[in-house]
Amino acid sequence: MIIALTFSISLSLSLSLSVSELMLSVHSVDLLSSKMGQNRMEHHTDHYHGNALIIRRGQTFQIELDLSRPFNSNTDKLHLDLRTGPLPMVSKNTHVIIQLVEELEDDRWEAKIVERNGNRIKLSVNSHAKAVIGKYKLTVTVESPKGGSATTRDPRKDIVMLFNPWCEDDTVYMDDEEEKKEYVLNDTGRLYYGTEKQIGDRTWNYGQFLEGMLEACLYVLEKSEIPPPGRGDPVNVVRVISAMINSQDDNGVLAGNWSGNYVGGVSPTAWNGSVEILKKYHKEGGLPVKYGQCWVFSGVTTTVLRCLGIPCRSVTNFQSAHDTDVSLTTDMYFDEKMEPFDELNTDSVWNFHVWNDCWMARPDLPPGNGGWQALDATPQETSQGTFRCGPASVTAIRTGQVYLKYDTPFIFAEVNSDKIYWQRNLDGIFTQIQCEKKAVGHCISTKAVGSDKRNDITHLYKHTEGSEEERIAVETASRYGTKPDVYSTSMAEDVSLEVKLEGEGPRMGADAQLTIVMTNFSSQTRKTTLHIQVAVMYYTGVLKGTVKKDKMPVALKPNEVKAMQWVLPYHSYQDQLVDQAALMLTLSGRVSETQQVLATQTSFRLRTPDLSIEDVPLPSFLNSMVNKSRLQLNFKQCRDTFFL
Ligand SMILES: *[C@@H]1O[C@H](CO)[C@@H](O)[C@H](O)[C@H]1NC(C)=O
Ligand SMILES: *[C@@H]1O[C@H](CO)[C@@H](O)[C@H](O)[C@H]1NC(C)=O
Ligand SMILES: *[C@@H]1O[C@H](CO)[C@@H](O)[C@H](O)[C@H]1NC(C)=O
Ligand SMILES: *[C@@H]1O[C@H](CO)[C@@H](O)[C@H](O)[C@H]1NC(C)=O
């Protein structure tokens, strides 16, 4: 009797509790990570081998939770924890706590319930566009008011976070779809070698999506001992990768060998791709693989960066100089009898050299220097004590701004140094006997987008050989080298150059009017030709393309202050504008009388009415055309016509 009574009491008790007051627990977590599922398709990670959840930062993904009972938003609580690295910390962004919200906002770690189906809920989770990349572990925590303590459940599977060239807020953002297909998603390519007159090519198997490759690439990052908080910054990541691909100082992936004797290893010419190399390195626990030369270092670099989500390509430079003394010239020394001075001739010109371009904004540099960045993993010279090189802005290389980091002088010299011949006189002093200005940096080549053709990108690295702009770049650069007096410097610097914007600056939709002011501080006349170039720029500082080039002859009377109007017609830039349109104006020239170099860069925004979805009354016809959730999409297409 007593037993029966107890039973009935407990039964009636549990019946009197409403369902939502029962303890809540997580039965299972489904990361919805199947290879062809929505998450991986939307994140462009469906090519990677296996069924892990591989996502890109700054973009939402879905997960499903199976709970012990239906979730009650009024009383139950839920949050997610993502942890990466050995010592996850909230202050270092290596431990993120994701709370439930009603509406997701860009650039935040947040989650929202998007579907309820009995005991199952589906969450849409947003990540930050500057998130640390790598492997994360997920924990789900739920709490119910009377259900007692929180329960957590770990799906025992890693989530892999990658860079996101599809996300505008990620610094590796690249807008052209075909370029992303090539520079992130293509897993084969071409490498160029030989001499400029006989360019050879070979197919290289990057293989970044094959089984074990993502793990191997993440292993390289891990081995680099770059602390996890640093793994959110692509500038940092590519610099570290350039050091890790060669074995010097850090037991990196590949040992270089140029001796011709490759016993005990694989001859550098025998490799046909990166897969075997990276897998071997991973499998053997970080033992350098033997042997590599420049194209192997470059091919492996392309694989690792594409795998991590940074747009990247291998690039070959023919007649590539190796400047050992940071003079920014390639120097050949001869004695009195014109015999080469072997011990001094440490600079050399390689028939070809292969390095990498990787794509990113450079928030650490002045605007205009984003876009392609040169990166060289072949161990040639140390940079801050380590064998690594770059990233150096290709724009900075072209304009000779070698003081912009990283290692710009070295790459500048590879493509654009003059070859200077020195002879020792009887008194022991060397004098310059000849200067070859076109000896270095030819036919810079990379595989074309969407075809197997060779694409010549020399113009990205240097102005037309022999043009005044190219000479100005060389002389600008050499001033920052160890032999600043190689070029007879100008006799006087008495002309100044400045750009002024009218009023609040040019307005979108109209011709842009600029005032160029030149001042003659001397008592003689001064003449020059100004080279004017305007390029469209993303707000990230990445140049999109040149929209106008112009030349303007200028003659200054003594002491004259000359203000010249220069107009950029609307039609020349209207089709080219990108988000938060900005333009970069570059002026350069040389004063005929004094050889003084003039150069200045100005970036300016085109004024638009400040727009925010809530505040700006929309034209009524627009209101009826779009609803709020679609406005964002239509906004770009509408802007030109409605708001300018
Ligand atoms: C290149 O490989 C050969 C043969 O294994 C070896 O004797 C030589 O020391 C290597 N050179 C370098 C620089 O590692
Ligand atoms: C590349 O080399 C490996 C062996 O080293 C070989 O199995 C593979 O078939 C080669 N691939 C191509 C495309 O030649
Ligand atoms: C890679 O590029 C080559 C040549 O453009 C093309 O044939 C191939 O289909 C591309 N591969 C992928 C996966 O896009
Ligand atoms: C608003 O746009 C969204 C997305 O296109 C669509 O799903 C929804 O049905 C639209 N709502 C209305 C009221 O038109």
Side-chain angles (χ1 to χ4, degrees):
M1 276 308 274
I2 294 169
I3 294 168
L5 184 66
T6 321
F7 176 70
S8 81
I9 288 169
S10 73
L11 183 70
S12 68
L13 249 180
S14 64
L15 281 177
S16 70
L17 282 169
S18 75
V19 171
S20 67
E21 285 169 80
L22 286 172
M23 178 159 139
L24 180 63
S25 61
V26 184
H27 281 165
S28 68
V29 179
D30 187 348
L31 296 178
L32 306 178
S33 60
S34 73
K35 196 165 153 57
M36 301 308 276
Q38 184 190 358
N39 277 332
R40 294 209 17 203
M41 295 296 281
E42 284 180 358
H43 286 248
H44 308 274
T45 57
D46 48 308
H47 303 288
Y48 289 87
H49 180 269
N51 278 316
L53 180 56
I54 305 163
I55 50 175
R56 297 187 190 273
R57 62 187 195 172
Q59 190 174 338
T60 59
F61 60 97
Q62 266 77 50
I63 60 173
E64 263 179 22
L65 307 179
D66 193 14
L67 306 173
S68 55
R69 60 162 169 79
F71 187 80
N72 179 343
S73 297
N74 294 327
T75 53
D76 296 332
K77 292 207 177 99
L78 184 156
H79 76 264
L80 312 175
D81 287 275
L82 278 172
R83 293 181 175 85
T84 185
L87 210 81
M89 287 205 277
V90 173
S91 61
K92 304 275 188 200
N93 303 320
T94 47
H95 174 193
V96 284
I97 302 167
I98 305 170
Q99 305 285 358
L100 276 189
V101 293
E102 290 294 316
E103 284 303 327
L104 294 179
E105 284 178 56
D106 276 356
D107 243 5
R108 293 199 184 173
W109 285 98
E110 286 174 343
K112 173 189 169 178
I113 299 178
V114 287
E115 250 177 61
R116 296 159 185 274
N117 188 0
N119 292 354
R120 284 180 83 83
I121 56 174
K122 191 177 199 178
L123 298 180
S124 188
V125 185
N126 205 16
S127 69
H128 198 282
K130 291 194 169 59
V132 166
I133 62 144
K135 283 183 187 168
Y136 284 85
K137 294 218 176 293
L138 170 72
T139 329
V140 182
T141 305
V142 289
E143 273 176 81
S144 50
K146 291 193 183 152
S149 60
T151 35
T152 66
R153 176 72 59 140
D154 181 342
R156 289 172 209 291
K157 272 195 244 160
D158 289 328
I159 296 178
V160 180
M161 180 73 80
L162 302 177
F163 290 108
N164 194 350
W166 283 265
C167 169
E168 291 191 28
D169 294 323
D170 194 323
T171 42
V172 303
Y173 173 67
M174 180 174 234
D175 77 337
D176 189 291
E177 282 306 318
E178 292 309 309
E179 290 188 357
K180 275 179 294 211
K181 256 187 220 161
E182 184 69 43
Y183 300 133
V184 187
L185 298 180
N186 202 330
D187 54 1
T188 59
R190 292 280 214 196
L191 299 183
Y192 300 92
Y193 64 94
T195 66
E196 59 177 305
K197 296 224 167 59
Q198 289 169 300
I199 296 179
D201 60 25
R202 57 181 299 172
T203 299
W204 195 260
N205 180 21
Y206 295 122
Q208 70 268 35
F209 302 122
L210 294 177
E211 182 172 8
M213 287 299 282
L214 179 57
E215 290 74 12
C217 294
L218 289 172
Y219 178 71
V220 174
L221 202 56
E222 237 167 77
K223 280 285 286 181
S224 75
E225 287 166 15
I226 166 179
R231 294 181 196 160
D233 176 6
V235 172
N236 199 358
V237 167
V238 301
R239 183 154 174 76
V240 159
I241 293 296
S242 99
M244 273 309 292
I245 299 302
N246 65 71
S247 64
Q248 262 95 334
D249 21 75
D250 44 19
N251 277 320
V253 178
L254 270 167
N257 197 328
W258 286 263
S259 71
N261 172 8
Y262 308 117
V263 176
V266 175
S267 155
T269 50
W271 302 112
N272 59 15
S274 313
V275 179
E276 268 184 275
I277 296 167
L278 282 161
K279 280 191 175 171
K280 189 169 187 330
Y281 182 70
H282 187 196
K283 196 170 117 208
E284 294 182 354
L287 218 58
V289 176
K290 298 172 180 178
Y291 289 105
Q293 286 182 10
C294 61
W295 65 92
V296 191
F297 291 107
S298 169
V300 172
T301 302
T302 301
T303 298
V304 174
L305 296 188
R306 285 188 186 178
C307 186
L308 300 179
I310 299 177
C312 184
R313 61 189 182 191
S314 289
V315 167
T316 303
N317 178 38
F318 292 93
Q319 297 295 333
S320 195
H322 180 172
D323 170 26
T324 50
D325 61 357
V326 204
S327 58
L328 296 164
T329 53
T330 302
D331 301 292
M332 286 289 294
Y333 297 91
F334 299 90
D335 67 11
E336 301 83 348
K337 300 189 201 93
M338 279 307 286
E339 302 270 357
F341 241 117
D342 286 339
E343 66 270 30
L344 287 179
N345 288 334
T346 50
D347 290 355
S348 55
V349 176
W350 297 15
N351 279 342
F352 73 97
H353 182 47
V354 190
W355 62 76
N356 293 86
D357 277 350
C358 52
W359 180 271
M360 66 193 62
R362 290 297 300 266
D364 56 329
L365 299 183
N369 290 294
W372 289 117
Q373 310 292 316
L375 188 72
D376 192 344
T378 301
Q380 295 182 88
E381 296 291 329
T382 55
S383 166
Q384 295 166 332
T386 302
F387 279 97
R388 61 184 167 189
C389 182
S393 162
V394 171
T395 306
I397 295 166
R398 186 173 65 240
T399 52
Q401 291 173 289
V402 294
Y403 45 86
L404 297 178
K405 61 195 175 183
Y406 289 93
D407 309 315
T408 311
F410 188 77
I411 300 175
F412 179 88
E414 286 181 312
V415 300
N416 208 0
S417 51
D418 286 347
K419 200 165 175 181
I420 296 185
Y421 296 80
W422 304 86
Q423 186 182 19
R424 191 169 67 174
N425 301 330
L426 290 171
D427 57 7
I429 292 172
F430 283 93
T431 50
Q432 188 179 329
I433 49 171
Q434 202 195 329
C435 176
E436 252 188 282
K437 297 189 168 163
K438 298 181 184 175
V440 159
H442 299 160
C443 303
I444 302 175
S445 300
T446 190
K447 175 188 177 298
V449 172
S451 95
D452 276 336
K453 294 214 178 75
R454 186 177 67 87
N455 186 14
D456 192 307
I457 54 167
T458 311
H459 62 283
L460 297 182
Y461 274 88
K462 55 203 285 196
H463 289 291
T464 311
E465 204 72 72
S467 68
E468 193 168 48
E469 288 154 301
E470 186 254 356
R471 286 290 97 200
I472 288 170
V474 172
E475 290 171 35
T476 305
S478 81
R479 285 193 187 190
Y480 296 93
T482 50
K483 295 191 188 123
D485 302 325
V486 166
Y487 303 97
S488 49
T489 42
S490 107
M491 296 174 293
E493 305 212 340
D494 51 20
V495 174
S496 76
L497 172 65
E498 195 186 352
V499 177
K500 288 192 173 147
L501 303 179
E502 297 294 326
E504 293 169 52
R507 237 170 19 86
M508 178 82 82
D511 295 352
Q513 278 239 357
L514 301 165
T515 308
I516 301 168
V517 181
M518 291 184 71
T519 308
N520 171 12
F521 292 102
S522 86
S523 48
Q524 288 141 12
T525 57
R526 296 283 180 250
K527 278 203 287 296
T528 185
T529 299
L530 280 185
H531 300 268
I532 304 172
Q533 186 173 341
V534 181
V536 169
M537 188 169 65
Y538 295 96
Y539 74 95
T540 54
V542 175
L543 291 181
K544 183 178 180 227
T546 302
V547 296
K548 191 163 168 68
K549 274 185 131 178
D550 202 0
K551 273 193 216 175
M552 187 197 277
V554 183
L556 293 174
K557 293 198 234 43
N559 286 322
E560 183 176 1
V561 179
K562 194 166 199 169
M564 294 157 287
Q565 300 297 319
W566 187 77
V567 175
L568 177 68
Y570 179 55
H571 68 78
S572 66
Y573 68 84
Q574 71 182 107
D575 298 336
Q576 302 278 345
L577 287 179
V578 286
D579 276 359
Q580 303 178 41
L583 295 166
M584 168 69 91
L585 171 74
T586 308
L587 296 177
S588 61
R590 187 200 298 280
V591 178
S592 320
E593 292 84 356
T594 59
Q595 299 299 303
Q596 180 194 346
V597 166
L598 300 168
T600 181
Q601 274 195 323
T602 313
S603 57
F604 53 98
R605 247 170 45 75
L606 298 167
R607 284 186 300 119
T608 50
D610 286 330
L611 276 171
S612 89
I613 306 287
E614 282 80 22
D615 300 343
V616 173
L618 293 168
S620 56
F621 65 100
L622 189 59
N623 245 333
S624 60
M625 268 172 59
V626 294
N627 70 34
K628 212 165 152 181
S629 66
R630 282 167 57 191
L631 185 58
Q632 212 102 34
L633 286 177
N634 287 347
F635 173 54
K636 256 188 230 160
Q637 297 146 21
C638 296
R639 190 166 58 179
D640 279 343
T641 24
F642 298 137
F643 297 117
L644 305 189

mmCIF file of all heavy atoms in Angstrom, residues 58-87:
data_model
loop_
_atom_site.group_PDB
_atom_site.id
_atom_site.type_symbol
_atom_site.label_atom_id
_atom_site.label_comp_id
_atom_site.label_asym_id
_atom_site.label_seq_id
_atom_site.Cartn_x
_atom_site.Cartn_y
_atom_site.Cartn_z
ATOM 1 N N GLY A 58 32.703 36.241 -40.854
ATOM 2 C CA GLY A 58 31.882 37.356 -41.304
ATOM 3 C C GLY A 58 30.618 36.932 -42.019
ATOM 4 O O GLY A 58 29.985 37.742 -42.694
ATOM 5 N N GLN A 59 30.237 35.673 -41.887
ATOM 6 C CA GLN A 59 29.089 35.158 -42.629
ATOM 7 C C GLN A 59 28.319 34.199 -41.705
ATOM 8 O O GLN A 59 28.917 33.509 -40.886
ATOM 9 C CB GLN A 59 29.625 34.401 -43.852
ATOM 10 C CG GLN A 59 28.577 34.002 -44.850
ATOM 11 C CD GLN A 59 29.199 33.392 -46.107
ATOM 12 O OE1 GLN A 59 30.384 33.614 -46.418
ATOM 13 N NE2 GLN A 59 28.427 32.613 -46.827
ATOM 14 N N THR A 60 26.980 34.174 -41.856
ATOM 15 C CA THR A 60 26.198 33.325 -40.942
ATOM 16 C C THR A 60 26.249 31.860 -41.364
ATOM 17 O O THR A 60 26.397 31.543 -42.541
ATOM 18 C CB THR A 60 24.720 33.746 -40.900
ATOM 19 O OG1 THR A 60 24.196 33.657 -42.207
ATOM 20 C CG2 THR A 60 24.557 35.159 -40.393
ATOM 21 N N PHE A 61 26.125 30.992 -40.375
ATOM 22 C CA PHE A 61 25.990 29.558 -40.644
ATOM 23 C C PHE A 61 24.901 29.012 -39.729
ATOM 24 O O PHE A 61 24.492 29.655 -38.774
ATOM 25 C CB PHE A 61 27.319 28.830 -40.436
ATOM 26 C CG PHE A 61 27.888 28.928 -39.045
ATOM 27 C CD1 PHE A 61 27.694 27.912 -38.116
ATOM 28 C CD2 PHE A 61 28.622 30.039 -38.654
ATOM 29 C CE1 PHE A 61 28.228 27.999 -36.828
ATOM 30 C CE2 PHE A 61 29.149 30.134 -37.372
ATOM 31 C CZ PHE A 61 28.957 29.119 -36.461
ATOM 32 N N GLN A 62 24.426 27.811 -40.052
ATOM 33 C CA GLN A 62 23.318 27.222 -39.308
ATOM 34 C C GLN A 62 23.778 26.005 -38.511
ATOM 35 O O GLN A 62 24.621 25.245 -38.977
ATOM 36 C CB GLN A 62 22.226 26.750 -40.281
ATOM 37 C CG GLN A 62 21.114 27.776 -40.524
ATOM 38 C CD GLN A 62 21.538 28.879 -41.472
ATOM 39 O OE1 GLN A 62 22.047 28.593 -42.528
ATOM 40 N NE2 GLN A 62 21.321 30.117 -41.083
ATOM 41 N N ILE A 63 23.198 25.845 -37.327
ATOM 42 C CA ILE A 63 23.349 24.566 -36.627
ATOM 43 C C ILE A 63 21.988 24.175 -36.050
ATOM 44 O O ILE A 63 21.115 25.027 -35.882
ATOM 45 C CB ILE A 63 24.391 24.617 -35.479
ATOM 46 C CG1 ILE A 63 24.001 25.645 -34.418
ATOM 47 C CG2 ILE A 63 25.769 24.919 -36.005
ATOM 48 C CD1 ILE A 63 24.908 25.602 -33.186
ATOM 49 N N GLU A 64 21.803 22.888 -35.786
ATOM 50 C CA GLU A 64 20.543 22.420 -35.206
ATOM 51 C C GLU A 64 20.800 21.768 -33.865
ATOM 52 O O GLU A 64 21.780 21.049 -33.691
ATOM 53 C CB GLU A 64 19.885 21.405 -36.141
ATOM 54 C CG GLU A 64 18.835 22.052 -37.023
ATOM 55 C CD GLU A 64 18.188 21.058 -37.980
ATOM 56 O OE1 GLU A 64 18.214 19.839 -37.712
ATOM 57 O OE2 GLU A 64 17.666 21.531 -38.993
ATOM 58 N N LEU A 65 19.905 22.047 -32.911
ATOM 59 C CA LEU A 65 20.032 21.450 -31.593
ATOM 60 C C LEU A 65 18.818 20.573 -31.342
ATOM 61 O O LEU A 65 17.688 20.967 -31.632
ATOM 62 C CB LEU A 65 20.082 22.540 -30.516
ATOM 63 C CG LEU A 65 21.128 23.636 -30.695
ATOM 64 C CD1 LEU A 65 21.019 24.645 -29.564
ATOM 65 C CD2 LEU A 65 22.523 23.031 -30.735
ATOM 66 N N ASP A 66 19.073 19.394 -30.820
ATOM 67 C CA ASP A 66 17.985 18.513 -30.407
ATOM 68 C C ASP A 66 17.931 18.588 -28.882
ATOM 69 O O ASP A 66 18.887 18.209 -28.202
ATOM 70 C CB ASP A 66 18.287 17.093 -30.897
ATOM 71 C CG ASP A 66 17.064 16.221 -30.766
ATOM 72 O OD1 ASP A 66 15.955 16.773 -30.555
ATOM 73 O OD2 ASP A 66 17.219 14.986 -30.855
ATOM 74 N N LEU A 67 16.813 19.116 -28.359
ATOM 75 C CA LEU A 67 16.706 19.360 -26.913
ATOM 76 C C LEU A 67 15.805 18.312 -26.269
ATOM 77 O O LEU A 67 15.133 17.531 -26.944
ATOM 78 C CB LEU A 67 16.143 20.763 -26.678
ATOM 79 C CG LEU A 67 16.892 21.898 -27.382
ATOM 80 C CD1 LEU A 67 16.159 23.223 -27.226
ATOM 81 C CD2 LEU A 67 18.317 22.012 -26.849
ATOM 82 N N SER A 68 15.760 18.369 -24.959
ATOM 83 C CA SER A 68 14.940 17.385 -24.240
ATOM 84 C C SER A 68 13.458 17.747 -24.288
ATOM 85 O O SER A 68 12.596 16.927 -24.001
ATOM 86 C CB SER A 68 15.407 17.292 -22.791
ATOM 87 O OG SER A 68 15.386 18.590 -22.212
ATOM 88 N N ARG A 69 13.153 18.981 -24.624
ATOM 89 C CA ARG A 69 11.759 19.423 -24.765
ATOM 90 C C ARG A 69 11.768 20.708 -25.597
ATOM 91 O O ARG A 69 12.843 21.275 -25.860
ATOM 92 C CB ARG A 69 11.143 19.671 -23.378
ATOM 93 C CG ARG A 69 11.883 20.745 -22.591
ATOM 94 C CD ARG A 69 11.053 21.298 -21.459
ATOM 95 N NE ARG A 69 11.808 22.133 -20.547
ATOM 96 C CZ ARG A 69 12.145 23.405 -20.784
ATOM 97 N NH1 ARG A 69 11.818 23.984 -21.938
ATOM 98 N NH2 ARG A 69 12.829 24.093 -19.896
ATOM 99 N N PRO A 70 10.626 21.222 -26.009
ATOM 100 C CA PRO A 70 10.622 22.451 -26.814
ATOM 101 C C PRO A 70 11.244 23.621 -26.043
ATOM 102 O O PRO A 70 11.145 23.681 -24.818
ATOM 103 C CB PRO A 70 9.135 22.698 -27.087
ATOM 104 C CG PRO A 70 8.496 21.362 -26.951
ATOM 105 C CD PRO A 70 9.263 20.649 -25.885
ATOM 106 N N PHE A 71 11.892 24.515 -26.773
ATOM 107 C CA PHE A 71 12.575 25.666 -26.172
ATOM 108 C C PHE A 71 11.568 26.784 -25.933
ATOM 109 O O PHE A 71 10.776 27.113 -26.813
ATOM 110 C CB PHE A 71 13.677 26.134 -27.129
ATOM 111 C CG PHE A 71 14.572 27.195 -26.570
ATOM 112 C CD1 PHE A 71 15.607 26.859 -25.697
ATOM 113 C CD2 PHE A 71 14.398 28.534 -26.910
ATOM 114 C CE1 PHE A 71 16.445 27.837 -25.176
ATOM 115 C CE2 PHE A 71 15.236 29.512 -26.394
ATOM 116 C CZ PHE A 71 16.256 29.156 -25.527
ATOM 117 N N ASN A 72 11.561 27.353 -24.724
ATOM 118 C CA ASN A 72 10.667 28.467 -24.417
ATOM 119 C C ASN A 72 11.482 29.759 -24.350
ATOM 120 O O ASN A 72 12.248 29.981 -23.411
ATOM 121 C CB ASN A 72 9.978 28.200 -23.064
ATOM 122 C CG ASN A 72 9.049 29.346 -22.681
ATOM 123 O OD1 ASN A 72 9.132 30.449 -23.213
ATOM 124 N ND2 ASN A 72 8.155 29.056 -21.734
ATOM 125 N N SER A 73 11.316 30.622 -25.351
ATOM 126 C CA SER A 73 12.144 31.826 -25.443
ATOM 127 C C SER A 73 11.941 32.758 -24.258
ATOM 128 O O SER A 73 12.795 33.581 -23.965
ATOM 129 C CB SER A 73 11.824 32.591 -26.729
ATOM 130 O OG SER A 73 12.143 31.798 -27.826
ATOM 131 N N ASN A 74 10.784 32.667 -23.596
ATOM 132 C CA ASN A 74 10.521 33.582 -22.488
ATOM 133 C C ASN A 74 11.294 33.225 -21.233
ATOM 134 O O ASN A 74 11.714 34.105 -20.490
ATOM 135 C CB ASN A 74 9.025 33.599 -22.167
ATOM 136 C CG ASN A 74 8.239 34.184 -23.324
ATOM 137 O OD1 ASN A 74 8.726 35.071 -24.020
ATOM 138 N ND2 ASN A 74 7.051 33.644 -23.555
ATOM 139 N N THR A 75 11.483 31.938 -21.019
ATOM 140 C CA THR A 75 12.093 31.558 -19.748
ATOM 141 C C THR A 75 13.427 30.828 -19.902
ATOM 142 O O THR A 75 14.270 30.901 -19.016
ATOM 143 C CB THR A 75 11.136 30.642 -18.954
ATOM 144 O OG1 THR A 75 10.762 29.562 -19.806
ATOM 145 C CG2 THR A 75 9.897 31.397 -18.520
ATOM 146 N N ASP A 76 13.627 30.146 -21.016
ATOM 147 C CA ASP A 76 14.875 29.394 -21.170
ATOM 148 C C ASP A 76 15.987 30.293 -21.694
ATOM 149 O O ASP A 76 15.737 31.277 -22.386
ATOM 150 C CB ASP A 76 14.678 28.231 -22.158
ATOM 151 C CG ASP A 76 13.684 27.208 -21.636
ATOM 152 O OD1 ASP A 76 13.564 27.083 -20.400
ATOM 153 O OD2 ASP A 76 13.032 26.557 -22.469
ATOM 154 N N LYS A 77 17.192 29.907 -21.341
ATOM 155 C CA LYS A 77 18.354 30.659 -21.845
ATOM 156 C C LYS A 77 19.273 29.711 -22.596
ATOM 157 O O LYS A 77 19.332 28.518 -22.295
ATOM 158 C CB LYS A 77 19.127 31.269 -20.679
ATOM 159 C CG LYS A 77 18.379 32.368 -19.962
ATOM 160 C CD LYS A 77 19.384 33.322 -19.324
ATOM 161 C CE LYS A 77 18.694 34.488 -18.653
ATOM 162 N NZ LYS A 77 18.567 34.286 -17.191
ATOM 163 N N LEU A 78 19.996 30.277 -23.546
ATOM 164 C CA LEU A 78 20.908 29.467 -24.354
ATOM 165 C C LEU A 78 22.062 30.340 -24.817
ATOM 166 O O LEU A 78 21.861 31.496 -25.195
ATOM 167 C CB LEU A 78 20.137 28.941 -25.570
ATOM 168 C CG LEU A 78 20.821 27.988 -26.551
ATOM 169 C CD1 LEU A 78 19.762 27.176 -27.270
ATOM 170 C CD2 LEU A 78 21.696 28.687 -27.558
ATOM 171 N N HIS A 79 23.259 29.839 -24.752
ATOM 172 C CA HIS A 79 24.375 30.510 -25.422
ATOM 173 C C HIS A 79 25.391 29.495 -25.910
ATOM 174 O O HIS A 79 25.392 28.341 -25.477
ATOM 175 C CB HIS A 79 25.017 31.588 -24.543
ATOM 176 C CG HIS A 79 25.885 31.058 -23.455
ATOM 177 N ND1 HIS A 79 25.445 30.858 -22.171
ATOM 178 C CD2 HIS A 79 27.180 30.666 -23.469
ATOM 179 C CE1 HIS A 79 26.425 30.368 -21.445
ATOM 180 N NE2 HIS A 79 27.497 30.241 -22.204
ATOM 181 N N LEU A 80 26.228 29.945 -26.852
ATOM 182 C CA LEU A 80 27.258 29.081 -27.425
ATOM 183 C C LEU A 80 28.629 29.616 -27.015
ATOM 184 O O LEU A 80 28.805 30.830 -26.869
ATOM 185 C CB LEU A 80 27.189 29.084 -28.959
ATOM 186 C CG LEU A 80 25.822 28.888 -29.608
ATOM 187 C CD1 LEU A 80 25.955 29.051 -31.129
ATOM 188 C CD2 LEU A 80 25.258 27.520 -29.270
ATOM 189 N N ASP A 81 29.555 28.724 -26.852
ATOM 190 C CA ASP A 81 30.950 29.116 -26.620
ATOM 191 C C ASP A 81 31.794 28.505 -27.720
ATOM 192 O O ASP A 81 31.689 27.314 -27.997
ATOM 193 C CB ASP A 81 31.456 28.559 -25.292
ATOM 194 C CG ASP A 81 30.859 29.291 -24.113
ATOM 195 O OD1 ASP A 81 31.416 30.344 -23.743
ATOM 196 O OD2 ASP A 81 29.837 28.813 -23.582
ATOM 197 N N LEU A 82 32.641 29.337 -28.342
ATOM 198 C CA LEU A 82 33.602 28.809 -29.319
ATOM 199 C C LEU A 82 34.987 29.114 -28.782
ATOM 200 O O LEU A 82 35.278 30.240 -28.389
ATOM 201 C CB LEU A 82 33.401 29.480 -30.677
ATOM 202 C CG LEU A 82 32.284 28.927 -31.554
ATOM 203 C CD1 LEU A 82 32.097 29.806 -32.767
ATOM 204 C CD2 LEU A 82 32.589 27.490 -31.982
ATOM 205 N N ARG A 83 35.829 28.103 -28.786
ATOM 206 C CA ARG A 83 37.174 28.290 -28.238
ATOM 207 C C ARG A 83 38.204 27.797 -29.248
ATOM 208 O O ARG A 83 38.018 26.758 -29.871
ATOM 209 C CB ARG A 83 37.330 27.492 -26.940
ATOM 210 C CG ARG A 83 36.457 28.006 -25.801
ATOM 211 C CD ARG A 83 36.694 27.152 -24.550
ATOM 212 N NE ARG A 83 35.988 27.648 -23.393
ATOM 213 C CZ ARG A 83 34.705 27.351 -23.114
ATOM 214 N NH1 ARG A 83 34.014 26.563 -23.930
ATOM 215 N NH2 ARG A 83 34.134 27.849 -22.038
ATOM 216 N N THR A 84 39.288 28.561 -29.372
ATOM 217 C CA THR A 84 40.369 28.138 -30.269
ATOM 218 C C THR A 84 41.708 28.312 -29.574
ATOM 219 O O THR A 84 41.856 29.180 -28.720
ATOM 220 C CB THR A 84 40.321 28.906 -31.606
ATOM 221 O OG1 THR A 84 41.314 28.379 -32.483
ATOM 222 C CG2 THR A 84 40.580 30.396 -31.438
ATOM 223 N N GLY A 85 42.668 27.466 -29.934
ATOM 224 C CA GLY A 85 44.015 27.556 -29.372
ATOM 225 C C GLY A 85 44.084 26.941 -27.992
ATOM 226 O O GLY A 85 43.078 26.577 -27.405
ATOM 227 N N PRO A 86 45.308 26.829 -27.469
ATOM 228 C CA PRO A 86 45.505 26.140 -26.202
ATOM 229 C C PRO A 86 45.036 26.943 -24.984
ATOM 230 O O PRO A 86 44.794 26.371 -23.932
ATOM 231 C CB PRO A 86 47.025 25.933 -26.146
ATOM 232 C CG PRO A 86 47.596 26.918 -27.108
ATOM 233 C CD PRO A 86 46.559 27.244 -28.111
ATOM 234 N N LEU A 87 44.924 28.252 -25.137
ATOM 235 C CA LEU A 87 44.597 29.079 -23.973
ATOM 236 C C LEU A 87 43.511 30.098 -24.343
ATOM 237 O O LEU A 87 43.782 31.280 -24.425
ATOM 238 C CB LEU A 87 45.867 29.828 -23.536
ATOM 239 C CG LEU A 87 45.964 30.131 -22.058
ATOM 240 C CD1 LEU A 87 46.453 28.916 -21.302
ATOM 241 C CD2 LEU A 87 46.880 31.323 -21.845
#
